[in-house]
Amino acid sequence: MALASRTRRMLEALVREGSLNWLLSRRSSFSEEFEELESSPSAGNNWIPELSPAANIVVRRCSRILETSSSELQESFNTEASDSIKHKSRYARNFLEYCCFRALALSTQGMGHLADKKFRRLTFDMMVAWEAPAAASQSLINLDDDLSIGIEAFSRIAPAVPIIANVIICENLFEVLTISTGGRLHFSIYEKYLNGLERVIKKMKSQSESSLLSAVRSTRGEKILEVDGTVTTQPVLEHVGISTWPGRLILTDHALYFEALRVVSYDKPKRYDLSDDLKQTVKPELTGPWGTRLFDKAVLYKSISLSEPAIIEFPELKGHTRRDYWLAVIREILYVHRFINKFHITGIEKDDALSKAILGILRVQAIQEISSSSTVCFESLLMFNLCDKLPGGDLILETLANMSSSRGLDWGNNILASGGMYSISALTTVLNLGVMFGSSSNNPSEAGLLVGELAVGEMSSLERAVKESRENYKKVVLAQETVNGVKADGIDTNLAVMKELLLPVMEVGKWLLSLVYWDDPLKSLLFSLISTFIIFRGWLGYTLALTLVLIAIFMVVTRFCNQGRPLVELKLVQDGNIVLLKFRALLLSIFPQASDRFAALLVFMALILALVPSKFMLLVVFWETFTRYSPLRKASTERWMRRLREWWFSIPAAPVVLETQKQKEKDAKKRK
């Protein structure tokens, strides 16, 4: 009773002082609850002194969902949380997160929660309260009718409901949603986005329950994610050689299907697998009549199971948005299966990974519905696409795989014991939405052992990996700006000229690369053994001499064969290219961190050259080069080559000024 009286006196004092006049006059989503709280005889049990008014109201809503009181929630938090999480400086925000995660885990169990206006308002108000959770910060927000939230609050609360966002793409999603509002997300746009999500979920469920591909899908347990080509104004065309067929394109969680349209029915569907390791390549392609390459509106699919690539075209009058969308979603399914196969993920962890990809596709579809802009980068909203592009994206996936492998029964028991210290998983969300698939479809209780990507009061290993990757990406962007700045007045043209001049060498290089990448293991092994024998016997000089003789013979034969024919002229516009400018940047220490590493590498190479006999050094270099893509070393090689590429792209090009002839003449006159 003493606590209730003290709380009521504090609220009455705030009203008398005018501190809450703005709240009572503007009838926000918080106003009615605040008035009810003020007049309630049990106000003391629902008011946490450490929290701001907004945070108290959100906690009160959470307690209603959980059918408990705010004080009991606080007691549970104090019992479950570690001392570092309960530190005074972080107590208010961490306790608020704890209440939010527990309430969201329970309120998302119903299939129709996205359509519930109270749920929409609750999730948004959670973000509002997160920005100013402590009692001392109550004056930092203005709880009027036009509330807005920033990227930090969105990134912390939205991924707790995996259908809304996830840790990897949440910043990009926030930028898309706030592109017209200056970096602040308003409830009207947020609600519009959730409306879009609700519609696309209903669409996916109706597609999965339809008879499309029923014979094929029943044996494989596949679910339909997208269908195109059913509307005559938006056809889909498949190019086979010089022939073209219209038809229906269907994407499932394991494959891509194309059904050619005949007179009154569809042909048997062609299946383009995305789940097995078939060396698939999915990329944009140019198409045109009779095999010409005119229109940039198609997707090429190539694998070792096909005798020739499949080309799917998405005709539209302006731009290639449809193609870009389909390219992104096809790659998302391909990349998630590569992730699953690479890290040998099985069981409910595999279903959870597929759930992440499916939810990403749903989010992209929702953005398409609510956005009229054609400049949306679909790859940035799909986590597996994004990890393929981001510097260190492979490390993000490795972290994700480690989190999946550690979600065994031991961690699961700890999670069950710790209640609401974690957000819910993507698989749990998909099952709650009524989309049943995979091995866990008949046993949804197993999904409860999984947790989401967020933990109360802590930055997870996944969040740390994403943060580091984004910081590295910013460096790459800055470096790329310097490269784009020097691609002018012939510098980039010079690179094209060099490629033309070195075409024969490049063809030989392609042949050598096929050996290096072990495309044909027998040929690569034979070449390695022969080359090792030549180097070990000291015949390398003779081999080089024989190569020079063969080149001389080629020149003589070419001279007699091309007599009287005109020579095609090549005009060099400017000297220099991007590679040389990057090396100049390294030598001049324009990027000190990269220059330090490069200098250390040069010292190491100098020591090797000075101490190791040349014969053994050549053997080591040769074997390192020609075994790096062998089955035993392929995984580590890909990881190190990706680090090397990211390091190279992060190096800015040295600044350059190209002087015209007139400028040179002016400078010469000034010197005179």
Side-chain angles (χ1 to χ4, degrees):
M1 291 297 294
L3 178 61
S5 301
R6 187 165 59 253
T7 302
R8 182 173 297 180
R9 286 197 299 271
M10 182 179 65
L11 296 177
E12 291 173 351
L14 288 172
V15 173
R16 285 196 303 270
E17 293 170 4
S19 300
L20 297 175
N21 288 342
W22 50 269
L23 182 64
L24 300 178
S25 62
R26 287 185 177 267
R27 311 306 302 172
S28 70
S29 62
F30 292 90
S31 301
E32 292 182 3
E33 289 190 56
F34 189 86
E35 291 176 355
E36 180 184 345
L37 182 63
E38 183 188 14
S39 60
S40 173
S42 60
N45 295 329
N46 291 296
W47 188 270
I48 309 298
E50 294 89 349
L51 302 184
S52 66
N56 264 295
I57 291 173
V58 168
V59 169
R60 186 168 182 259
R61 293 184 199 170
C62 294
S63 68
R64 286 176 177 173
I65 294 172
L66 298 168
E67 297 181 349
T68 185
S69 66
S70 299
S71 58
E72 289 174 343
L73 272 177
Q74 189 177 23
E75 290 177 5
S76 299
F77 173 73
N78 292 337
T79 302
E80 296 178 19
S82 63
D83 291 338
S84 60
I85 293 177
K86 292 184 292 186
H87 191 272
K88 184 178 180 180
S89 61
R90 305 163 55 200
Y91 185 89
R93 178 162 287 163
N94 292 345
F95 173 58
L96 177 65
E97 287 184 2
Y98 172 81
C99 297
C100 292
F101 290 178
R102 284 194 59 178
L104 290 174
L106 186 60
S107 58
T108 54
Q109 289 182 3
M111 290 187 183
H113 58 270
L114 281 179
D116 187 353
K117 292 185 178 180
K118 290 183 178 180
F119 174 82
R120 296 177 180 180
R121 190 75 233 188
L122 173 64
T123 54
F124 188 82
D125 289 346
M126 285 176 175
M127 302 179 209
V128 173
W130 189 93
E131 291 193 321
S137 60
Q138 63 186 22
S139 60
L140 298 180
I141 56 174
N142 185 14
L143 303 181
D144 57 19
D145 291 331
D146 194 24
L147 295 169
S148 65
I149 57 171
I151 190 169
E152 289 187 11
F154 183 82
S155 300
R156 194 61 190 164
I157 299 298
V161 186
I163 182 59
I164 298 177
N166 70 29
V167 166
I168 298 174
I169 60 91
C170 60
E171 289 192 17
N172 295 336
L173 177 61
F174 185 85
E175 290 175 2
V176 171
L177 293 174
T178 60
I179 192 171
S180 61
T181 55
R184 299 288 296 181
L185 179 61
H186 295 265
F187 179 73
S188 58
I189 298 176
Y190 177 73
E191 186 176 35
K192 187 178 179 182
Y193 168 60
L194 295 190
N195 272 327
L197 281 174
E198 184 192 3
R199 288 193 296 270
V200 298
I201 290 169
K202 289 180 179 178
K203 174 186 170 185
M204 179 176 290
K205 289 173 69 175
S206 65
Q207 289 172 345
S208 295
E209 295 165 1
S210 69
S211 60
L212 290 175
L213 302 175
S214 56
V216 179
R217 291 192 294 119
S218 60
T219 58
R220 301 177 184 272
E222 299 180 26
K223 294 297 180 183
I224 293 177
L225 307 181
E226 185 61 286
V227 180
D228 202 351
T230 57
V231 181
T232 55
T233 56
Q234 292 185 326
V236 175
L237 308 175
E238 183 186 48
H239 295 265
V240 181
I242 61 173
S243 62
T244 303
W245 294 99
R248 180 168 59 193
L249 188 66
I250 303 172
L251 177 68
T252 73
D253 53 355
H254 283 75
L256 186 69
Y257 295 88
F258 182 82
E259 299 175 311
L261 177 63
R262 299 306 179 186
V263 179
V264 293
S265 63
Y266 290 98
D267 268 358
K268 182 180 179 181
K270 296 180 182 178
R271 187 176 193 270
Y272 302 117
D273 191 272
L274 299 173
S275 58
D276 295 330
D277 185 8
L278 300 175
K279 310 293 184 186
Q280 296 99 328
T281 299
V282 178
K283 63 180 183 179
E285 186 58 276
L286 300 174
T287 58
W290 301 290
T292 57
R293 295 168 55 83
L294 299 176
F295 307 114
D296 185 18
K297 300 178 185 293
V299 171
L300 178 143
Y301 173 92
K302 181 170 65 174
S303 75
I304 58 175
S305 64
L306 298 179
S307 57
E308 59 179 337
I311 300 175
I312 310 295
E313 183 182 2
F314 303 89
E316 52 187 326
L317 294 177
K318 185 179 180 182
H320 40 75
T321 304
R322 283 178 69 210
R323 190 282 307 276
D324 293 345
Y325 165 73
W326 271 95
L327 177 65
V329 296
I330 293 171
R331 280 178 168 173
E332 186 72 357
I333 298 301
L334 175 64
Y335 291 161
V336 69
H337 282 287
R338 284 183 180 174
F339 166 73
I340 291 169
N341 295 333
K342 179 179 180 180
F343 295 102
H344 309 290
I345 298 174
T346 58
I348 59 172
E349 288 81 11
K350 176 181 177 180
D351 292 342
D352 189 53
L354 283 172
S355 299
K356 294 177 188 294
I358 291 172
L359 294 178
I361 292 174
L362 287 171
R363 286 191 290 268
V364 168
Q365 293 172 348
I367 291 295
Q368 271 193 311
E369 283 215 357
I370 68 172
S371 176
S372 58
S373 173
S374 60
T375 59
V376 176
C377 181
F378 301 115
E379 290 86 352
S380 67
L381 301 177
L382 296 167
M383 59 175 286
F384 293 99
N385 273 266
L386 187 60
C387 288
D388 186 65
K389 305 296 183 186
L390 280 177
D394 58 326
L395 299 180
I396 295 176
L397 294 180
E398 186 175 336
T399 303
L400 192 64
N402 292 336
M403 290 175 63
S404 296
S405 63
S406 63
R407 289 169 180 168
L409 290 178
D410 291 338
W411 194 20
N413 291 333
N414 292 334
I415 291 162
L416 294 176
S418 61
M421 299 305 292
Y422 297 90
S423 60
I424 60 174
S425 68
L427 177 58
T428 302
T429 300
V430 168
L431 297 178
N432 289 341
L433 292 172
V435 182
M436 309 293 284
F437 74 99
S439 60
S440 62
S441 59
N442 296 321
N443 191 9
S445 62
E446 289 187 7
L449 296 178
L450 298 176
V451 295
E453 302 161 345
L454 299 174
V456 171
E458 297 177 349
M459 178 178 283
S460 66
S461 56
L462 180 63
E463 289 177 287
R464 285 192 293 270
V466 172
K467 182 179 179 181
E468 183 178 352
S469 178
R470 289 191 175 279
E471 289 174 353
N472 292 333
Y473 177 71
K474 292 176 183 177
K475 296 177 183 178
V476 171
V477 170
L478 293 175
Q480 189 61 37
E481 288 176 356
T482 65
V483 172
N484 294 336
V486 299
K487 284 187 175 181
D489 296 331
I491 290 180
D492 209 33
T493 306
N494 181 53
L495 190 58
V497 173
M498 291 175 64
K499 287 182 179 179
E500 184 68 26
L501 290 170
L502 297 175
L503 185 60
V505 179
M506 292 174 66
E507 291 299 321
V508 175
K510 289 180 180 178
W511 174 72
L512 290 174
L513 282 176
S514 68
L515 295 175
V516 170
Y517 283 96
W518 289 64
D519 293 337
D520 189 331
L522 182 60
K523 290 182 180 178
S524 296
L525 180 60
L526 187 63
F527 182 80
S528 299
L529 293 176
I530 293 174
S531 301
T532 301
F533 181 75
I534 291 173
I535 294 172
F536 188 77
R537 293 299 301 268
W539 293 352
L540 188 59
Y542 300 112
T543 305
L544 294 176
L546 179 62
T547 303
L548 293 175
V549 170
L550 292 175
I551 293 174
I553 293 173
F554 172 78
M555 293 170 63
V556 173
V557 172
T558 304
R559 176 183 176 187
F560 286 103
C561 292
N562 290 343
Q563 282 185 349
R565 294 184 183 180
L567 182 65
V568 178
E569 295 183 356
L570 293 173
K571 296 181 180 179
L572 190 59
V573 181
Q574 296 286 349
D575 293 326
N577 56 51
I578 302 303
V579 175
L580 295 178
L581 290 172
K582 281 183 177 270
F583 274 117
R584 178 179 170 83
L586 285 173
L587 293 174
L588 298 178
S589 291
I590 294 176
F591 188 45
Q593 187 177 5
S595 296
D596 292 344
R597 293 179 182 176
F598 187 60
L601 178 62
L602 292 178
V603 172
F604 178 74
M605 291 173 61
L607 291 174
I608 294 296
L609 290 172
L611 300 177
V612 180
S614 59
K615 179 170 65 175
F616 295 108
M617 186 173 62
L618 284 173
L619 277 174
V620 171
V621 170
F622 174 78
W623 274 101
E624 197 286 327
T625 302
F626 278 90
T627 62
R628 61 176 55 167
Y629 286 99
S630 60
L632 293 177
R633 294 188 58 203
K634 185 177 180 181
S636 61
T637 297
E638 289 177 346
R639 182 169 59 252
W640 282 106
M641 292 302 293
R642 179 160 183 162
R643 297 287 85 74
L644 181 62
R645 285 196 302 270
E646 292 168 359
W647 172 78
W648 178 254
F649 289 135
S650 68
I651 300 171
V656 60
V657 177
L658 300 175
E659 292 185 341
T660 63
Q661 187 63 32
K662 290 183 178 180
Q663 288 174 328
K664 291 180 180 179
E665 292 175 357
K666 287 181 180 179
D667 291 340
K669 289 180 180 179
K670 289 180 180 179
R671 286 194 294 268
K672 291 179 180 179

